[in-house]
Amino acid sequence: MAELAMGIIGLTGAAELCIKGGKALAKASQDYRHADAKLDELCARIEVCWLRTSSQLEVAQALEATMTEDQRNIQQQILRILYSKLETAIMALSQIDKHFKNGKQKRLYFVALKDKLEEAVGELESWHKRFEPSWFELIKTAPPTVAGALQRITVSAPKEAAEPSRDALKFRRAFEPIRMQSSVLIARKVLEGLEISALPHSMVHVARDPEDGKCHIVDTVSTEAVTMQDAKALANRLRESNPGTFGTMRCKGIIRYPESSAMAFVFRIPDGYDAVRSLRHLLTGEVPESLTIRLEIARQLVNAVYYIHLYEFVHKNICPETILCLGSTKDSNVAGGLMCCLIGFQVLRHIDGRTNTGKLGDKFDLYQHPTRRGSDKSPFVMQHDIYSLGVCLLEVGLWKSLLQFDQGTCSPEQLQQQMVSLSRGKLRAEMGDKYSKVVETCLTCLDSDNVDFGDPEDFTDGEGVEVGSRYVEKVISIISTISL
């Protein structure tokens, strides 16, 4: 009945129902604050997640009239899922209250309560990860009036509720023409006095300040492979990027080395993250004790690829060497403290630019779609990045580097088929049906019989703006629902 009603009342009405349900859940959980430390933590997580979600739903309501049909359908589908989760959580809490209303068996009561709150928190946070990418897409395509609504929330809402709107305002500003005209070039002296070292199994260097310990990533690219115009555009877009949301670090600027036809992006490593390793480095080490760690890496990587496309760039170089995994030596909660970011912009280009011919080396051909190898290469499109993502997700799921494949004895098509077979077999046994399906969908994204990604037009609207609604629907929405 709820799903039927939500379909009738439209997106705005559906959002209102969810907001009411979320308030009811937050209120129900507040009744258990300060009962003990664990319950207090769970209740606080529910409150924070709901504050963020409710403020974003208010903005989505205001944008309904400007949404495309695809955007509206995705939002309706996501809200139906949210409302169902809220109803289930509220009902579960009320049943516990009813069952234990006589006050007996107190220990059993708290065990059951913690389990239900833990489940409610997990469901709500999982849903929010699925919702947020589509929300930022709405923010990008919204009319200028949305800035006023976002500004009002940043001023009047509590800190946790205001944070998404603050990020959204910065995200909107990244596309302003005047922002593109501002200089992002910085002097070489910003690296003077810093301890610079190569990052193992990576394409970048780490620059560390010996006095305060703060670190930067130095990502050097050739001006023959990446145009200065594209480099400046990326640096401007990422000036205020929130790495925890977008999977890209904030860019301090670009250093030019004209004598060597090179330039370097300088990125800020977020405070508190003193352990920096490439995904390749992790894959050569011990297998994580928990599958949750693998799944969290995969989720963050999927989001990072989505957002680099939303920033209107194709990466063209996605592989474990260009994925940084940031952690803390002081944080034992690896899954909770891990942050994955895309770097390695050696052959980056803007979506409207011409395909460049930069080559990274034969060993990285494994991550290139078969149509991008050889002398007769097809023009690079978004789906080529998605194919590379699929190879990386396969490696993360198996926790195994695939560079050991003898690429010299197989054709590109045979290598692709080998990886598809791995996704259907060993990967499914390791990570389950949903994860293996996501990987197979990415690996076959340009196959004629792949109904999810086969048509490049699925990634453009009528004005040629890359939006990726199908990507949200078929990749992010699926991988965010996986629970272990």
Side-chain angles (χ1 to χ4, degrees):
M1 288 296 291
E3 289 193 7
L4 177 61
M6 293 184 81
I8 295 173
I9 63 180
L11 190 145
T12 299
E16 285 291 345
L17 279 177
C18 289
I19 289 173
K20 289 179 181 178
K23 287 180 178 177
L25 176 61
K27 184 178 184 302
S29 66
Q30 285 300 308
D31 293 339
Y32 306 107
R33 289 295 295 265
H34 311 302
D36 71 7
K38 182 61 176 178
L39 286 177
D40 198 39
E41 176 197 338
L42 292 172
C43 294
R45 283 170 59 189
I46 288 178
E47 182 179 1
V48 168
C49 189
W50 184 249
L51 282 171
R52 291 175 60 90
T53 299
S54 60
S55 67
Q56 290 173 297
L57 289 180
E58 290 177 15
V59 176
Q61 284 179 284
L63 296 177
E64 180 177 9
T66 67
M67 294 181 191
T68 66
E69 184 178 354
D70 277 349
Q71 288 174 332
R72 191 176 292 108
N73 289 338
I74 288 175
Q75 293 300 310
Q76 284 272 32
Q77 178 185 358
I78 293 175
L79 289 180
R80 280 197 294 268
I81 294 170
L82 173 60
Y83 189 73
S84 175
K85 291 182 182 297
L86 291 171
E87 278 194 319
T88 300
I90 294 170
M91 185 177 297
L93 289 179
S94 65
Q95 287 176 343
I96 291 177
D97 281 343
K98 181 179 179 180
H99 184 69
F100 292 104
K101 64 181 180 180
N102 58 9
K104 295 180 180 180
Q105 300 175 307
K106 185 175 181 180
R107 182 175 178 276
L108 184 59
Y109 169 80
F110 279 111
V111 169
L113 182 59
K114 289 174 185 176
D115 287 344
K116 291 301 180 183
L117 284 175
E118 189 84 61
E119 185 179 347
V121 168
E123 293 286 352
L124 193 58
E125 291 177 342
S126 173
W127 179 88
H128 188 260
K129 290 175 183 177
R130 179 178 185 176
F131 164 73
E132 197 160 52
S134 65
W135 186 76
F136 275 100
E137 181 189 314
L138 293 178
I139 294 299
K140 178 185 174 182
T141 58
T145 52
V146 73
L150 293 171
Q151 186 63 46
R152 284 193 296 273
I153 292 175
T154 62
V155 172
S156 60
K159 178 182 177 181
E160 293 82 0
E163 185 177 354
S165 292
R166 219 173 271 118
D167 284 342
L169 282 171
K170 294 175 182 177
F171 181 70
R172 291 269 301 184
R173 285 198 294 267
F175 296 91
E176 293 175 356
I178 191 171
R179 182 67 172 270
M180 293 298 101
Q181 296 170 10
S182 61
S183 177
V184 292
L185 298 179
I186 55 178
R188 298 189 193 190
K189 64 180 181 181
V190 301
L191 298 182
E192 289 180 1
L194 303 186
E195 300 171 347
I196 300 178
S197 59
L199 188 67
H201 305 284
S202 173
M203 299 180 182
V204 300
H205 288 74
V206 177
R208 181 181 178 277
D209 189 324
E211 294 185 1
D212 59 17
K214 291 186 177 181
C215 295
H216 290 80
I217 294 295
V218 182
D219 190 359
T220 305
V221 305
S222 168
T223 54
E224 296 176 358
V226 178
T227 68
M228 179 57 70
Q229 181 180 359
D230 284 353
K232 287 182 176 180
L234 177 70
N236 266 306
R237 297 274 162 89
L238 301 186
R239 269 184 173 180
E240 296 183 278
S241 173
N242 182 339
T245 298
F246 301 120
T248 47
M249 289 177 286
R250 293 181 179 179
C251 187
K252 186 179 182 70
I254 298 172
I255 297 175
R256 300 179 68 178
Y257 301 101
E259 72 279 4
S260 60
S261 299
M263 56 184 164
F265 296 100
V266 180
F267 296 102
R268 298 185 184 94
I269 294 178
D271 293 341
Y273 289 87
D274 58 349
V276 182
R277 293 165 293 180
S278 72
L279 177 59
R280 177 72 69 201
H281 191 174
L282 292 182
L283 290 172
T284 60
E286 295 182 358
V287 178
E289 295 180 358
S290 171
L291 289 179
T292 302
I293 296 174
R294 293 191 234 179
L295 183 58
E296 186 59 28
I297 291 173
R299 284 173 172 161
Q300 292 189 33
L301 177 55
V302 165
N303 273 4
V305 174
Y306 170 75
Y307 283 115
I308 203 69
H309 288 176
L310 200 60
Y311 275 122
E312 299 179 351
F313 288 91
V314 284
H315 189 281
K316 301 184 64 180
N317 186 20
I318 297 171
C319 59
E321 281 77 4
T322 62
I323 300 162
L324 291 191
C325 298
L326 313 179
S328 171
T329 55
K330 301 175 182 177
D331 186 357
S332 59
N333 185 8
V334 180
L338 195 67
M339 183 188 296
C340 297
C341 296
L342 271 178
I343 43 90
F345 297 107
Q346 280 75 20
V347 286
L348 163 103
R349 73 165 171 83
H350 191 269
I351 57 172
D352 292 330
R354 295 178 58 186
T355 294
N356 44 35
T357 56
K359 187 173 177 60
L360 299 169
D362 292 339
K363 76 173 185 176
F364 296 106
D365 281 348
L366 177 71
Y367 301 91
Q368 299 298 312
H369 190 270
T371 60
R372 287 288 300 160
R373 302 186 214 173
S375 57
D376 187 22
K377 297 179 180 179
S378 64
F380 200 98
V381 293
M382 276 183 165
Q383 289 93 323
H384 289 132
D385 271 350
I386 294 170
Y387 178 88
S388 303
L389 169 66
V391 182
C392 293
L393 293 178
L394 178 60
E395 291 180 295
V396 170
L398 297 174
W399 206 258
K400 180 180 182 181
S401 175
L402 297 181
L403 286 180
Q404 62 188 20
F405 275 12
D406 187 355
Q407 300 177 47
T409 61
C410 299
S411 69
E413 292 75 17
Q414 288 173 325
L415 279 173
Q416 179 189 23
Q417 190 52 52
Q418 282 186 36
M419 289 188 287
V420 171
S421 297
L422 273 175
S423 71
R424 293 172 177 172
K426 189 174 181 180
L427 181 67
R428 178 172 293 171
E430 288 273 349
M431 300 294 290
D433 291 345
K434 288 183 179 180
Y435 190 97
S436 63
K437 180 59 179 175
V438 165
V439 172
E440 183 178 345
T441 296
C442 292
L443 290 174
T444 59
C445 63
L446 281 167
D447 290 5
S448 58
D449 58 350
N450 185 319
V451 297
D452 296 331
F453 289 119
D455 187 355
E457 293 301 315
D458 286 335
F459 280 79
T460 61
D461 62 14
E463 299 177 347
V465 179
E466 306 283 348
V467 293
S469 294
R470 184 62 61 88
Y471 185 57
V472 175
E473 181 183 356
K474 297 298 181 182
V475 177
I476 293 179
S477 63
I478 296 175
I479 204 164
S480 65
T481 63
I482 300 174
S483 58
L484 298 174

